[in-house]
Amino acid sequence: EHKRSSDSRGALIVLEGLDRCGKTSQSYLEELGHAVESWRFPDRTTNVGQMISSYLGNKSHLDDHTIHLLFSANRWEKRSLMESKLKSGTTLIIDRYSYSGVAFSSAKGLDMEWCKAPEIGLLAPDLVLYLDISPEKAAERGGYGEERYEQLEFQKKLARSFKALRDASWKNINASLPIEDVEKQLRETVLNCLETCGQGKPLLE
Ligand code: DGP
Ligand code: NA
Ligand code: NA
């Protein structure tokens, strides 16, 4: 069990990166104990999430702006649960968040400021971990499946969009290392954040 003072809120930690960057191998989380939950966006279990899932599987075709707003709506519909979890002391580690929302749509050519607008008011992460890997190397990892964005040319544009979004609060994780080493870096950074991130600080929008 990690040490985090019992009266403080949970930390909000976000993982971002290209597809196949290794975000989802998170067995290291189990040992962190019950006060940590691992979430992911899109959450495909909701009605909105099912529309997103159908779009990603190329079973439906939606205007770029429309799907952008659906991804954002999918985060908004989880906002109040997210807030109550954090306030009750649970740390959330979230696989993709608003940065993906902005990066994927701006990689399609939508205006970046327009893309950011519907994200305003969602809870701000205490820490963003960017799993840094080249698009070429990510593509080698097990190959891409059938989903919409899993193409090298698109992932190259996506990498440039993420780069444009990065700010001083982001921490880079070298994701081109073997998966065990990526997990080790994630584990150490998350543990460190559990001890320090957000302690005594209010949740910000
Ligand atoms: P995942 O379930 O993490 O594999 O995500 C499915 C795909 O959707 C993946 O290519 C990443 C992409 N994605 C995640 N969040 C967003 C978002 O907010 N907007 C867009 N356009 N794509 C997203
Ligand atoms: Na994917
Ligand atoms: Na995800």
Side-chain angles (χ1 to χ4, degrees), residues 27-89:
S27 50
Y28 71 95
L29 287 178
E30 283 162 24
E31 64 198 270
L32 296 177
H34 65 269
V36 177
E37 283 185 20
S38 161
W39 286 22
R40 68 186 307 153
F41 286 113
D43 176 344
R44 302 189 191 212
T45 65
T46 68
N47 289 330
V48 172
Q50 281 165 28
M51 292 173 73
I52 292 170
S53 191
S54 152
Y55 171 83
L56 288 170
N58 294 308
K59 293 188 182 71
S60 63
H61 298 279
L62 293 169
D63 166 74
D64 289 342
H65 300 81
T66 308
I67 188 63
H68 181 82
L69 295 171
L70 288 178
F71 272 106
S72 184
N74 188 233
R75 287 182 280 275
W76 274 101
E77 64 185 341
K78 306 300 280 191
R79 187 194 183 285
S80 61
L81 182 60
M82 193 183 279
E83 184 170 20
S84 61
K85 290 269 180 191
L86 292 166
K87 284 189 169 159
S88 72

Side-chain angles (χ1 to χ4, degrees), residues 77-114:
E77 64 185 341
K78 306 300 280 191
R79 187 194 183 285
S80 61
L81 182 60
M82 193 183 279
E83 184 170 20
S84 61
K85 290 269 180 191
L86 292 166
K87 284 189 169 159
S88 72
T90 301
T91 283
L92 300 178
I93 301 181
I94 303 192
D95 185 345
R96 297 197 182 282
Y97 198 53
S98 301
Y99 306 97
S100 279
V102 176
F104 277 78
S105 292
S106 66
K108 296 174 187 173
L110 300 194
D111 176 70
M112 198 170 260
E113 293 312 310
W114 185 90

Side-chain angles (χ1 to χ4, degrees), residues 1-6 8 32 191-196 199:
E1 194 78 350
H2 63 84
K3 10 179 180 99
R4 192 170 171 87
S5 69
S6 54
S8 72
L32 296 177
L191 275 172
N192 186 48
C193 181
L194 289 175
E195 288 169 18
T196 57
Q199 300 274 34

Side-chain angles (χ1 to χ4, degrees), residues 19-20 40 44 96 147 150:
D19 285 309
R20 308 287 148 150
R40 68 186 307 153
R44 302 189 191 212
R96 297 197 182 282
E147 283 206 334
E150 295 177 334

